[in-house]
Amino acid sequence: MSTLQINEVAPRDGLQIEADFVPTVDKIGLIDALSATGLARIEATSFVSPKAIPQLRDASVVVAGIQRRPGVGITVLVPNAKGAERALACSVDEVNLVMSASDSHGLANLRMTAQQSLEQFTAILEVVRGHPQGREVFVNASLSTSFGCPFEGEVPEARVLDLVEQQLALGVQGVSLCDTTGMANPAQVGRLCEAVLRHFPQTPFTLHFHNTRGMGLANAMAAWQAGIVRFDASLGGLGGCPYAPGATGNVCTEDLVHMFEEMGVSTGVDLDALLKVSASLPGLIGHDTPGQVVKAGKADRRYPMPG
């Protein structure tokens, strides 16, 4: 089994829903600290309208200010062609497009049906292809609600496969299957992962889990057992979806790394360094985080016998 690739999404997915704006210099410091831990990719920000997500209004300044480390890809979310132009001007390594597998969630979250989102993808890809550095940029698409919609319920496997096929036909190179509101279960995850790997064996798939109902790590295990080696995760378990009341955020990066490393599965991540960064989060955002290992310590932690 190949070394896992962990994509850290806290600087974007985590900070975008925080109530208070995290200063630009602190965002840059967080990303620089994360890039020194051995993570494969870091989703640094989103080139979305500042009116839509004011917490990420400093996207260009953040990307320009971070330290680029060899082997650490910098990816950003781009919602439209204008966002793609801004991102490409910053020489990012990857752009991440987003759409929903269910039309109701797409309309609520993006104001677009799936087909309208695919049309938007076409416009974004035209910008990428027309840019001087476009050939150097990897294009990934995140498919939200791949495992269930909070409005419609079950999303049929055939629907997911069809949308992935259409994304790839447009020129998307990688796909993230997203459990946006934490509805997935391990059995379902295993089936869908096996299906996409069988139908699209040359496509790099990333799995993006939320821990809304406490099944994030179990779902990641099921995906890995099915053959997935790329995972999104968020430092401290930050993040969440506004359409998942009570959500605790994304699957926690340090908890995910700890689980796999304890199993003998290499992630390439320095867990001790990652835990130090996670321990600094409450001071940065002003509240506690749901991550467990940063509180309890690693499984090899030993205590003195009671007196």
Side-chain angles (χ1 to χ4, degrees), residues 4-305:
L4 297 187
Q5 297 181 35
I6 308 297
N7 177 34
E8 176 58 60
V9 302
R12 195 279 300 176
D13 206 351
L15 297 186
Q16 73 174 8
I17 67 166
E18 288 296 315
D20 298 324
F21 178 78
V22 174
T24 304
V25 65
D26 292 335
K27 289 192 182 92
I28 292 172
L30 174 63
I31 295 169
D32 285 348
L34 287 167
S35 70
T37 66
L39 292 160
R41 294 177 294 163
I42 299 174
E43 191 173 49
T45 188
S46 173
F47 284 87
V48 67
S49 167
K51 293 181 179 179
I53 303 181
Q55 293 88 339
L56 302 181
R57 60 182 180 267
D58 53 359
S60 296
V61 181
V62 168
V63 176
I66 60 177
Q67 180 181 356
R68 296 296 185 90
R69 289 181 180 269
V72 182
I74 297 299
T75 178
V76 297
L77 187 146
V78 294
N80 49 41
K82 184 176 180 180
E85 291 172 354
R86 293 172 58 207
L88 291 167
C90 295
S91 300
V92 299
D93 301 304
E94 177 178 324
V95 292
N96 185 30
L97 288 53
V98 63
M99 63 175 289
S100 295
S102 70
D103 284 339
S104 56
H105 185 269
L107 289 168
N109 193 41
L110 303 169
R111 298 182 181 179
M112 286 185 286
T113 64
Q115 288 306 311
Q116 288 171 326
S117 288
L118 289 169
E119 292 171 8
Q120 183 91 283
F121 280 18
T122 300
I124 294 172
L125 286 160
E126 287 178 356
V127 169
V128 174
R129 295 189 187 104
H131 195 275
Q133 294 182 324
R135 292 183 180 179
E136 306 299 323
V137 176
F138 187 85
V139 179
N140 189 78
S142 287
L143 187 58
S144 299
T145 62
S146 290
F147 298 92
C149 170
F151 309 112
E152 299 177 21
E154 179 185 1
V155 175
E157 179 181 293
R159 166 82 168 178
V160 175
L161 293 174
D162 176 61
L163 290 173
V164 170
E165 185 172 20
Q166 291 189 64
Q167 290 173 343
L168 297 176
L170 292 176
V172 167
Q173 295 161 283
V175 175
S176 297
L177 301 178
C178 305
D179 181 28
T180 313
T181 58
M183 296 173 66
N185 66 73
Q188 175 193 22
V189 168
R191 290 192 298 270
L192 183 58
C193 289
E194 289 173 358
V196 296
L197 291 174
R198 183 171 61 251
H199 283 82
F200 313 104
Q202 303 305 314
T203 300
F205 283 93
T206 301
L207 269 290
H208 178 106
F209 293 114
H210 285 235
N211 202 41
T212 311
R213 294 170 178 84
M215 288 194 283
L217 291 181
N219 287 331
M221 172 67 73
W224 174 73
Q225 290 175 328
I228 297 296
V229 297
R230 294 161 61 107
F231 293 90
D232 282 352
S234 182
L235 190 73
L238 293 183
C241 176
Y243 301 106
T248 55
N250 296 45
V251 65
C252 175
T253 310
E254 59 268 28
D255 292 357
L256 183 73
V257 170
H258 178 265
M259 179 185 76
F260 279 121
E261 292 289 346
E262 282 294 306
M263 292 167 50
V265 180
S266 176
T267 63
V269 176
D270 182 339
L271 181 56
D272 290 321
L274 189 67
L275 286 169
K276 288 181 180 179
V277 184
S278 181
S280 72
L281 267 183
L284 185 68
I285 59 178
H287 61 81
D288 195 13
T289 60
Q292 296 298 305
V293 177
V294 72
K295 299 180 181 75
K298 297 188 296 183
D300 62 3
R301 180 177 180 178
R302 297 295 177 263
Y303 300 85
M305 286 288 290

